[in-house]
């Protein structure tokens, strides 16, 4: 691979940028769907935020408002001293430094040339990966070489300490302790009250030395002290295994077994297997863009990040809004997964997609409880979801001024139930998986439809259905009535549900009968859906959608161009109260609707009028917004605008354009970027005759190639 | 211009990166050959290093070892308060920030959305340029807009203070004072002992307000206080004129006249004229690279930086090693100008090149004095040069440990005289300017040849000429004997001098007679040159050049790959003593020779053997090195390697790869980058039949287009 090609597969920090350490940690995260590990240094650094998270491992301590992913013990720790000086970038002098995330290999590498405080010149070359071939295995390798004359003493400490730091304090553990008399350094923990257990095992190998095990239960680990000659290269290998009670009855035993096997394979073989798994991923997910290396690299970066968060090992976990790369949103799962990440995964790797949809299926019970608690029927999915399927949106959060702020999204951002149905139907149409749809998918679509049947309100005076007290995608305006996004998506949802019902009755009458009984569907239900779909109010004004009732009348126009340049969101600039009455919207809302339903909404002229109205008042205060604008702009033939939105979305995390990447990767944005290229600029769509492309490439792009599955068949699509 | 094109013309900081402020100030420098202004903020910032320098304005205070460019009063200062809060990025909250240097327009812009400490939301849009149309004129424009409700009080201070901060202390001024009763705020200064005078005049215009002049002689400036409504846009314009005694008998009067005319033109017209001048520059200097936007932008960035340092106004100044963008090397001029910057300027804009060569011509007196002081004949150019043409290399500098270090380059890096001759001859050959060459160029070539005739030493025992006590381009090895670079270049120089002499005698006998008399040339001189050229020792060993006598025997090999990654130079890592005896070289030395004389040295096999020997032991401890490696690698057909070196050189300042860009732009590297593309990858060379190209493009480049002049005729060259 030459430099030009490498540049499109690598993200590099050179020289060291201490001012950006938290941003770097996030973007250099490695992971495999089961585990995510921030790109912190093995030896630590002041102000760093090392974090290892495991998918689905939520817990809520008594002092917490909502559950969160448990910060796990820091398995990364590896301390190396040279002639009694412990290596740290804060001490001595950095003579050279580079850090590279190779996206193709999913490997993080770091080189350091270091002058120790007592004057030794030492070279370090770190490499780490989270195996995709076996997601329970993680590995680090470090080359150490002392370059100045003389014999030198190297000391290595590789602790696996029974501690885990919670960013905001609090203890998740009923117990977390080292396990004596094991073949490896081993931890066993049990979280309370969730009851999740973890087993961690760690092994250290040093070329030419024999590490000893420190048996102190408070500070277990490996230790070694040995002599090296000038220029002698010493390779230190740390292998690590993690199991949890999500995947094992006895996580400690499983970790031991996994690690035994990993040690037997050795680093090189593990690395090779990891590569093979990633080669497979990239064969399916890589979009090749010729003529734009900045877009090329950024698109790969985004793809990498939703892939390292995509579960391959079980179907009761999903992808959090910040993946496993940071503690933002505490690991909770939103509509981000269904409308932003699922489309690429559905197209490129249906197996992965099905697992993510099954997460929702398994959590139907929670959605039904939420509906019932609200006095509704059917299934009403939670706005924020964890491992239980219960609503986990906090009702109150502390504001900047110390006063609590009421969060309404858990109550009123109800469109998520329809978003999930949308993802299910897309999956069905693209994959053609009848069996899965009959068994699982249809139930989600129908039971969420049933929820809407009970949720809508009939306005007797005006003879129409309405939905009050909603929050649309534009969260700057809370508890509004008749969100055009929600109302219109509900119409679509109910029509689709009726179609699904007809289809089942026609093709699979047994399933229809089973579901009718199970979900309580009868002719009256169906007739009711039909009526709602016909009589739902879709607010319009001046020939365009009105984002919600009184949007134009109530909200004061604001000239967004005056607020440039802007990193801070408009709601923070204007304040909550003023934002509520200002005509500035957080993110794609009507435009999001256009991305989802496109020509079902009207002709191109109508869509363009809506675009002109709404794309000019959007703050992109959510990272979800720019990619959807790219999709819609491309379809409207605004190719260069589409490209600008794409680049904004694709570099949002890489360049920290929102200033908050320290909290984690914007997962939805990453999925949105893939969509922006494939569904937007390349114009892929599913017609009655199968997939077609109607490309709207920016002038300087020469060729785009990507692969999808359509009804089980792989297709390579090239757009020029 | 769409985003893709703009990205190749713009260098942007977004969001604000306070950790990189000194690097940013350097790369965002504006200038016009007369004045250079670092990209500091108008309102200042803690730890910044605002600096305005004027070409040739050197002075040496009694406590200084060598002269330096005088830091001029900070004309940039512009302070704006909103409701009594003075705008500063260190106070309040930055809601948004971007800073863009548009290379095409040579304009620096900055946008800030700012929350003041008392809660006002304010938008600023700054723009500044140093007029290329009239280099005595500089201009700033600021848009201010308060976005929150209410009436607001704006206060503006635009000081032009009679102070100038020297980075290391010391006072250059005999006097520096405000001049009362002038139409503008005006300063007059006189440096001592150089006697240089400056006149500065500043004017402030505020839309809808009338600034008053502060008459306090210690703090002259403009002041204004006025009310604005919400969202009202206020435009503040600051115009500035600088003249010095280098260009005017009465710099104060000249500054007043220039500023009067500038005020009459107004900002918009000045901007337009500036644009027209830059359009002309880019027509000649722009290299268009299709298929590589990173290279494209970086090459333009480098071109911009040597252009803003190229004098257009007089021919007794040249370009310092760090341009006018920082205080590194105190503004001194090295061989960098002749061998790195002159080639592009000679090809693209011979008028500019001639001016730079005339700087050397005018300083022949100093070079003759230096030769005489050393006991030699002819002209021996100083290693470091300022406005006087005297040697200004410091003999001692303070070391890191406080002990003084002896600097030998001023004594022994004598190859510069030949480098200057090389530039003269290249200029002559490419431009065909007979008249200039007869009048000026030939004298430089011949008188420096005369120096060498007196400098070489005859080794009686071995019957050969030698040159002892030299420093070649590789400054890691000081005071060595028989530098192959120097010896071989001297041979070339004397042969060329003989050719020039024959040519003059044949075509312009009067000039030959005049020069013979003036320089004391006779048949014996010429015969002596011929003998030296024949009998000079060119050290060789094992079929390759030996960089200097005993290079292979005396120096211990070192494995440079062990010292990766490396930002710090190897001499700092190994220490001075160990570097002297290690086979690691600072920069292209034999490879530099190959870049200059190429096939005159031997066939491709021989060149390749030398490449393999020397390109593997080079530290690139000088920024001059990578671009020359690119040139040579390309000619050897190592296209991808050539590309890697090019990218290294082209991003060296942009990405601060050496970690010292705070001290100023690496001017030679910038010129080298242009050469690397045109002379290296595109393979432009001058044959007997005129210019030809033998391209060695990296695989992914599609097309390169550039323009040159050949013998007065413009040519557009496209390489595919």
């Amino acid at each position: 691979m030459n430099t030009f090609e490498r540049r499109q597969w690598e993200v590099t920090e050179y020289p060291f940028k201490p001012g950006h350490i938290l941003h770097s940690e996030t973007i250099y995260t490695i992971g495999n769907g089961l585990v995510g590990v921030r790109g912190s240094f093995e030896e630590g650094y002041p102000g760093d935020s090392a974090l290892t998270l495991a998918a689905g491992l939520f817990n809520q301590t008594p002092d917490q408002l909502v559950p969160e992913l448990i910060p796990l013990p820091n398995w990364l720790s590896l301390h190396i001293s040279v002639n009694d000086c412990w290596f740290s970038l804060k001490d001595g002098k950095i003579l050279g430094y580079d850090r590279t995330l190779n996206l193709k290999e999913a490997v993080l590498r770091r080189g350091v040339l270091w002058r120790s405080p007592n004057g030794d010149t030492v070279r370090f070359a770190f490499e780490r990966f989270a195996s995709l071939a076996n997601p329970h295995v993680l590995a680090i390798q470090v080359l150490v070489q002392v370059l100045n004359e003389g014999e030198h003493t190297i000391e290595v400490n590789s602790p696996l300490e029974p501690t885990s730091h919670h960013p905001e304090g609090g203890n998740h553990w009923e117990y977390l302790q080292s396990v004596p008399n094991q073949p490896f350094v081993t931890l066993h923990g049990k979280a309370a009250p969730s009851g999740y257990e973890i087993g961690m095992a760690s092994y250290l190998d040093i070329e030419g030395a024999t590490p000893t095990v420190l048996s102190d239960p408070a500070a277990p680990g490996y230790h070694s002290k040995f002599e090296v000659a000038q220029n002698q290269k010493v390779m230190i290998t740390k292998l690590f295994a993690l199991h949890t009670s999500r995947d094992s009855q006895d996580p400690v035993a499983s970790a031991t077994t996994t690690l035994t096997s990993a040690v037997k394979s050795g680093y090189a073989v593990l690395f090779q297997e990891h590569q093979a798994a990633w080669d497979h991923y990239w064969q399916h997910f890589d979009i090749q863009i010729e003529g734009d290396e900045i877009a090329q690299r950024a698109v790969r970066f985004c793809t990498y990040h939703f892939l390292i968060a995509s579960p391959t090992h079980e179907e009761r976990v999903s992808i959090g809004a910040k993946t496993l790369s940071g503690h933002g949103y505490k690991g909770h799962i939103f509509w981000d997964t269904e409308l932003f990440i699922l489309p690429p995964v559905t197209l490129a790797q249906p197996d992965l997609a099905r697992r993510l949809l099954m997460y929702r299926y398994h959590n139907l019970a929670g959605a039904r409880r939420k509906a019932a608690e609200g006095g509704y029927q059917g299934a009403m999915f939670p706005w924020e979801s964890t491992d239980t399927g219960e609503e986990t949106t906090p009702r109150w959060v502390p504001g900047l001024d110390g006063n609590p702020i009421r969060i309404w999204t858990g109550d009123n951002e109800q469109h998520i139930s329809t978003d999930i149905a949308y993802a299910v139907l897309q999956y069905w149409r693209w994959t053609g998986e009848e069996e899965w749809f009959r068994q699982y998918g249809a139930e989600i679509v129908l039971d969420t439809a049933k929820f809407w049947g009970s949720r809508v309100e009939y306005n007797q005076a005006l003879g129409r259905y309405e939905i009050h007290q909603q929050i649309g995608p534009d969260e700057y305006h809370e508890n509004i009535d008749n969100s055009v996004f929600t109302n219109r998506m509900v119409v679509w949802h109910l029509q689709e549900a009726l179609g699904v019902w007809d289809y089942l009755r026609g093709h699979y009458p047994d399933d229809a009968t089973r579901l009718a009984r199970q979900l309580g569907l009868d002719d009256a239900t169906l007739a009711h859906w039909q009526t709602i779909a016909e009589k739902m109010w879709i607010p319009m004004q001046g020939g365009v959608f009105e984002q919600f009732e009184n949007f134009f009348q109530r909200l004061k126009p604001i000239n967004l161009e005056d607020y440039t340049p802007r990193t801070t969101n408009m709601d923070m600039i204007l304040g909550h109260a003023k934002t509520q009455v200002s005509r500035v919207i957080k993110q794609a809302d009507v435009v999001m609707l256009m991305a989802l339903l496109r020509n079902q909404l009207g002709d191109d002229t109508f869509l363009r009028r809506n675009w002109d109205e709404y794309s000019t008042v959007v703050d992109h205060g959510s990272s979800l917004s720019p990619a959807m604008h790219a999709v819609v702009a491309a379809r409207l033939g605004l190719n260069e605008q589409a490209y600008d939105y794409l680049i904004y979305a694709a570099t949002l995390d890489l360049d920290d354009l929102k200033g908050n990447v320290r909290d984690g990767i914007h997962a939805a944005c990453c999925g949105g970027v893939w969509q922006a290229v494939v569904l937007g600029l390349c114009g892929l769509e599913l017609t009655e005759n199968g997939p077609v492309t109607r490309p709207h490439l920016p002038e300087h792009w020469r060729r785009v190639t990507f692969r999808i599955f359509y009804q089980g068949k792989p297709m390579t699509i090239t757009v020029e």
Side-chain angles (χ1 to χ4, degrees), chain A:
Chain A
M1 202 184 273
N2 66 24
T3 309
F4 180 70
E5 288 158 350
R6 225 172 47 235
R7 215 157 61 192
Q8 297 173 54
W9 279 110
E10 289 184 350
V11 180
T12 294
E13 180 189 25
Y14 169 78
F16 180 44
K17 298 190 171 58
H20 299 246
I21 190 154
L22 296 179
H23 170 236
S24 300
E25 282 185 8
T26 298
I27 66 172
Y28 291 131
T29 295
I30 57 168
N32 53 28
L34 171 64
V35 192
V37 184
R38 282 170 65 82
S40 320
F41 299 149
E42 286 79 357
E43 71 281 4
Y45 192 80
D48 66 354
S49 174
L51 191 61
T52 296
L53 298 172
L57 224 66
F58 287 95
N59 193 59
Q60 182 177 2
T61 64
D63 57 337
Q64 289 182 315
L65 295 167
V66 290
E68 64 172 9
L69 284 178
I70 306 168
L72 299 180
N74 183 18
W75 70 280
L76 273 183
S77 283
L78 191 60
H79 303 284
I80 302 170
S81 91
V82 177
N83 298 324
D84 295 328
C85 290
W86 289 96
F87 168 58
S88 165
L89 292 185
K90 72 178 197 303
D91 302 321
K93 187 169 185 295
I94 303 171
L95 304 176
Y97 170 99
D98 62 12
R99 173 156 61 168
T100 297
L101 176 67
N102 184 305
L103 302 167
K104 191 167 178 30
E105 299 178 314
V107 170
L108 180 63
R109 296 193 176 89
R110 175 167 59 119
V112 181
L113 192 65
W114 186 59
R115 172 70 39 90
S116 81
N118 65 16
D120 292 308
T121 305
V122 194
R123 175 188 174 207
F124 297 94
F126 294 85
E127 182 175 282
R128 75 169 76 144
F129 65 93
S131 173
L132 184 63
N134 180 353
H136 299 281
V137 175
L138 293 93
I140 301 175
Q141 210 167 50
V142 194
L143 175 88
V144 184
Q145 190 180 15
V146 188
L147 300 170
N148 47 304
E149 275 149 39
E151 276 273 301
H152 306 282
T153 306
I154 307 276
E155 200 175 340
V156 178
N157 268 330
S158 172
L160 187 63
E161 290 174 8
T163 55
S164 82
H165 293 287
H166 184 276
E168 291 129 36
N171 177 29
H172 283 290
W173 303 102
E174 185 183 320
Y175 58 81
L176 177 62
Q177 59 208 17
S178 93
V179 190
N181 306 319
Q182 294 286 316
F184 307 111
V185 173
T186 305
L187 291 186
H188 183 206
K190 185 177 179 186
S194 69
Y196 281 125
E197 289 182 53
I198 60 162
M200 284 183 159
S202 161
Y203 168 77
L204 190 76
D205 176 73
I206 302 176
E207 219 180 1
T210 311
T212 54
V213 173
L214 301 175
S215 53
D216 177 359
Y222 289 92
H223 174 260
S224 187
K225 194 166 180 172
F226 51 95
E227 305 293 305
V228 293
Q230 181 182 12
N231 291 339
Q232 185 187 331
K233 292 177 182 172
V234 179
M235 189 64 89
I236 302 171
T237 305
K238 178 170 188 170
L239 302 178
F240 171 80
L242 168 72
H243 281 267
T244 80
S245 51
R246 292 192 68 90
D247 60 67
S248 165
Q249 298 285 333
D250 184 346
V252 168
S254 297
T256 304
T257 309
T258 297
L259 191 54
T260 303
S261 153
V263 169
K264 206 170 150 194
S265 295
Y267 187 91
V269 170
L270 295 171
F271 187 86
Q272 222 166 28
E273 291 165 354
H274 175 64
Q275 288 315 303
W278 272 93
D279 280 350
H280 177 79
Y281 256 10
W282 286 119
Q283 267 172 40
H284 291 290
F285 282 96
D286 190 32
I287 303 175
Q288 287 160 293
I289 302 169
E290 282 178 52
D292 193 326
E293 55 175 314
I294 286 178
Q296 174 67 84
R297 185 182 75 146
V299 168
R300 283 181 176 149
F301 173 82
C302 292
T303 306
Y304 166 86
H305 272 289
F306 72 72
L307 284 178
I308 65 168
S310 291
T312 62
H313 56 294
E314 61 157 313
E315 57 179 41
R316 285 173 185 270
V317 291
S318 186
I319 302 174
K322 300 281 190 178
T323 70
L324 297 170
S325 65
H327 221 271
Y329 296 119
K330 300 176 186 300
H332 293 188
I333 294 126
F334 296 69
W335 69 319
D336 304 43
T337 314
E338 279 72 23
L339 289 194
F340 293 83
I341 301 171
L342 262 161
V345 179
T346 296
L347 290 168
Q349 195 75 296
D351 282 356
L352 279 181
R354 194 176 50 244
R355 256 185 223 108
L356 291 168
L357 291 172
M358 286 305 289
Y359 165 79
R360 294 298 188 180
Y361 179 82
H362 293 302
N363 285 328
L364 270 170
R368 287 173 182 140
R369 271 195 298 276
K370 180 168 176 174
E373 280 163 15
Y376 306 119
Q377 301 173 350
M380 176 194 195
F381 278 99
W383 179 243
E384 298 187 26
S385 176
T386 58
D387 53 333
T388 61
E390 304 297 316
E391 178 63 73
T392 52
T393 308
R395 296 199 130 216
W396 296 91
V397 296
L400 289 178
D401 58 359
N403 292 321
I405 297 173
R406 178 68 163 90
I407 302 295
W408 290 102
T409 50
D411 305 73
N412 297 336
E413 196 153 356
Q414 297 172 358
H415 62 78
I416 188 167
S417 294
T418 286
D419 307 333
I420 292 168
Y422 188 92
V424 168
L425 289 162
Q426 288 290 313
Y427 178 82
W428 180 39
R429 300 221 159 104
W430 278 99
T431 65
E433 286 188 22
E434 290 297 298
E435 186 62 27
W436 180 85
F437 187 71
R438 282 163 52 204
Q439 286 212 337
Y440 307 105
E443 188 175 334
I444 296 176
V445 175
L446 295 171
D447 215 26
T448 46
K450 192 164 179 215
F451 155 67
W452 285 118
S454 70
R455 173 62 186 88
V456 298
E457 297 139 77
Y458 189 64
N459 183 327
Q460 205 73 42
L462 297 166
R464 66 191 187 194
Y465 282 95
E466 300 188 355
I467 308 177
H468 296 176
Q469 283 289 302
Q470 288 296 306
I471 303 179
D474 165 25
E475 293 169 338
Y476 284 174
H477 300 100
E478 296 168 341
N479 311 337
I480 47 85
D481 297 333
N482 292 304
S483 149
V484 99
F485 177 90
T486 308
N487 287 17
R488 185 62 185 81
M489 284 301 288
V490 168
V491 170
W492 168 87
H493 187 167
L494 295 175
Q495 286 168 334
E496 290 286 334
L498 289 165
V500 164
W501 186 252
D502 282 348
Y503 176 83
L504 286 178
R505 262 205 310 221
H507 293 73
Y508 304 102
D510 290 355
D511 290 310
T513 309
R514 173 179 57 83
L515 285 167
R517 193 173 333 119
Q518 192 183 326
L519 307 180
L521 305 180
D522 55 24
D523 287 349
T525 319
L526 304 170
H528 180 51
W529 292 357
Q530 185 65 46
T531 316
I532 298 168
E534 284 162 12
K535 296 196 169 172
M536 177 69 81
W537 182 37
I538 307 297
M540 302 277 295
Q541 190 160 315
V544 295
F545 287 124
E546 182 169 34
Q547 189 183 296
F548 54 81
E549 198 176 342
N550 291 325
F551 178 86
F552 292 115
Q553 197 178 319
R554 217 185 85 206
L555 306 188
K556 203 179 136 198
I558 206 159
N559 185 5
L560 269 184
E561 281 184 13
D562 289 343
Y563 292 81
T564 49
R566 178 173 76 252
T567 338
T568 308
N569 287 352
M570 283 302 291
D571 61 336
M572 296 295 289
I573 294 175
L574 298 178
H576 183 264
K578 196 169 174 200
T579 305
Q580 294 287 317
V581 295
S582 295
R583 204 181 298 163
V584 52
I585 66 178
K586 185 176 180 186
Q587 68 195 85
D589 189 300
V590 170
V591 168
M592 183 75 201
L593 182 66
M594 290 159 69
L596 297 177
L597 301 187
R598 53 196 308 182
N599 292 111
Q600 295 179 45
L601 301 174
D603 62 15
D604 277 359
T605 314
F606 173 72
L607 295 177
R608 177 60 190 266
R609 275 204 307 272
N610 278 281
W611 169 266
D612 291 343
E613 188 70 44
Y614 290 101
S615 69
T616 48
V617 297
V618 64
D619 181 26
H620 303 295
S622 160
S623 70
L624 280 56
S625 189
M628 286 305 120
H629 278 77
V631 169
V632 174
R635 288 176 182 164
L636 291 171
L638 306 166
N639 302 12
E640 297 298 330
Q641 271 193 60
Y643 174 72
D644 289 352
Y645 286 115
L646 168 68
I647 289 296
Y648 180 19
T651 58
L652 190 135
D653 282 339
L654 257 178
D655 297 340
D656 203 10
L657 302 185
K658 294 304 239 178
N660 63 356
V661 176
R662 61 181 178 278
D663 299 331
I665 286 291
H666 295 90
C669 181
C670 291
V673 162
W674 203 98
Q675 290 188 60
V677 179
V678 172
L679 306 182
L681 281 65
C682 294
L684 177 73
E685 57 182 286
L686 189 53
T687 68
E688 286 178 5
N689 305 317
V692 298
T693 54
R694 302 190 215 278
H696 288 284
L697 303 189
E699 217 179 313
H700 67 282
W701 282 21
R702 280 179 295 143
R703 192 181 295 113
V704 185
T705 305
F706 57 90
R707 297 185 72 190
I708 60 163
F709 281 95
Y710 172 60
Q711 304 208 338
K713 287 189 302 283
M715 306 172 73
T716 300
I717 296 179
T718 298
V719 167
E720 313 245 351

